[in-house]
């Protein structure tokens, strides 16, 4: 069985706390994203700084990893298609079991824990599916394709059969067509 040498920005040594329950180590690192993470309207770009606060705690079953991730995602608004860049904060906690014991999703390998898969998956799953530039983004006008302003309301097209009634509404241009007094019925 050959063992690969673990190294990289997301690999943390745990040799000094392995099988010493109660021991803990904390790390704070800034890592550049090794590739683009995310495939939707927004993603974390390759080279984007990922601020990672990691706590490694030795427990009887393995190494309990708690992490907080701060980074930024970029892309386009799902309503108006303008460019957006928003901060992203993610937390996760996962147990890295000791090899050969119980079946675990993640294991301590060569007295190291490799967090790249967990960091990537946590970030990608936290990206918004329908990102918006602002919570009340009005989107695009369906007729012109222009970006609507927050106070603009798209005017619904009037059915031609009802167009004549628009002239009778009192709020239309301040002047409404009113029937002449001779056309009214006398009581």
């Amino acid at each position: 069985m050959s063992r690969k040498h673990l190294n990289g920005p997301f690999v943390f040594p745990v040799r000094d706390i392995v099988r010493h329950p109660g021991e803990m180590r904390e790390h704070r690192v800034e890592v550049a994203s090794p590739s683009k993470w995310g495939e939707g309207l927004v993603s974390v770009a390759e080279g984007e700084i990922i601020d990672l606060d990691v706590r490694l705690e030795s427990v009887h079953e393995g190494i309990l990893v708690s992490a907080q991730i701060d980074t930024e995602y970029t892309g386009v608004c799902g309503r108006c298609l303008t460019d957006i860049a928003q901060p992203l904060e993610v937390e996760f906690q996962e147990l890295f079991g000791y090899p050969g014991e119980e079946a675990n999703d993640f294991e301590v390998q060569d007295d190291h824990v490799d967090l790249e898969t967990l960091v990537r998956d946590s970030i990608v799953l936290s990206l918004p599916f329908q990102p918006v530039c602002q919570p009340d983004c009005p989107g695009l006008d369906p007729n012109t394709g222009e970006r609507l302003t927050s106070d603009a309301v798209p005017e619904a097209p009037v059915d031609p059969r009802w167009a004549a009634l628009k002239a009778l509404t009192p709020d239309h241009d301040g002047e409404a067509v009113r029937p002449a007094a001779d056309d009214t019925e006398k009581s």
Side-chain angles (χ1 to χ4, degrees):
M1 171 191 227
S2 71
R3 294 184 162 197
K4 66 177 186 172
H5 181 66
L6 294 175
N7 62 12
F10 297 100
V11 177
F12 294 91
V14 293
R15 178 181 311 264
D16 59 336
I17 62 173
V18 167
R19 301 202 192 278
H20 292 97
E23 291 290 319
M24 178 189 69
R25 299 292 179 266
E26 291 182 329
H27 300 275
R28 182 178 174 97
V29 295
E30 286 186 356
V31 178
S33 174
S35 61
K36 177 184 169 188
W37 287 347
E39 296 296 325
L41 292 174
V42 293
S43 61
V44 173
E46 181 175 352
E48 182 65 42
I49 297 298
I50 298 170
D51 188 17
L52 191 60
D53 284 327
V54 179
R55 170 184 272 174
L56 307 168
E57 298 177 73
S58 181
V59 295
H60 291 288
E61 300 84 11
I63 304 296
L64 182 64
V65 177
S66 303
Q68 180 175 341
I69 304 165
D70 294 306
T71 189
E72 182 176 85
Y73 64 81
T74 55
V76 295
C77 174
R79 293 182 190 160
C80 67
L81 303 178
T82 58
D83 291 337
I84 57 174
Q86 298 287 328
L88 179 67
E89 295 179 8
V90 183
E91 293 181 4
F92 69 82
Q93 190 172 53
E94 188 67 46
L95 177 67
F96 281 73
Y98 293 126
E101 295 184 6
E102 295 181 23
N104 293 303
D105 291 337
F106 299 98
E107 288 187 346
V108 175
Q109 298 175 353
D110 295 333
D111 296 329
H112 290 79
V113 292
D114 185 357
L115 304 183
E116 184 171 359
T117 301
L118 281 171
V119 171
R120 181 189 63 238
D121 291 352
S122 297
I123 287 174
V124 170
L125 291 173
S126 295
L127 293 173
F129 183 68
Q130 288 292 328
V132 290
C133 57
Q134 57 189 18
D136 58 346
C137 175
L140 300 175
D141 185 299
N143 295 323
T144 65
E146 296 292 321
R147 184 173 191 267
L148 295 171
T149 59
S150 59
D151 58 337
V153 176
E155 187 173 322
V158 176
D159 186 323
R161 296 172 291 181
W162 296 97
L165 292 176
K166 188 168 183 166
L168 297 175
T169 59
D171 59 346
H172 182 67
D173 296 327
E175 296 180 21
V177 176
R178 301 193 193 282
D182 296 339
D183 296 339
T184 61
E185 186 178 310
K186 295 184 181 172
S187 314

